[in-house]
Amino acid sequence: MRFSKKTALALAAVALFASGCGKTPKDRLQGRWLGESIENVPEPHLAKAMGWVKGTAFEFAGNKVTVTIPAESPRTGSFRVTEASGDRLLVSFLREEGGRDEAELQFVGEGQLRWRIGDGREIVLVKSVQN
């Protein structure tokens, strides 16, 4: 079967696009995510909450994660995606010293992650671009 140049280019573009979409949720999490903002916090508490959010970070590297929360020592351990549905994830964090935490996350494009922390509140994290 012979294809015209135009058809061959279109097929190549579709193949390239499809291969880029084949990332697993774990692959998409890799890298450093920095706290940017928080939603659904009452105005009197917003400044304090924003200070806390700006000091929050997740750093995923392979099967390891380091979670940085203000006024606490960073926690490092392993993680796994226990549920994935589209851009929504349930991630289980296993602490090196023992214990387990879960987080409900949602990707918004490739550069933003939303962390549902309860009571309708979400922390928005952005992927750090390292040069």
Side-chain angles (χ1 to χ4, degrees), residues 59 65-69 72-77 95-97 101:
E59 186 162 2
V65 63
T66 299
V67 177
T68 303
I69 302 289
E72 295 182 14
S73 297
R75 296 183 211 151
T76 299
R95 298 183 195 176
E96 287 181 344
E97 71 278 359
D101 300 298

Side-chain angles (χ1 to χ4, degrees), residues 29-43:
L29 284 171
Q30 298 299 301
R32 186 165 173 81
W33 298 85
L34 306 173
E36 180 176 79
S37 63
I38 188 166
E39 296 179 354
N40 298 320
V41 173
E43 185 63 37

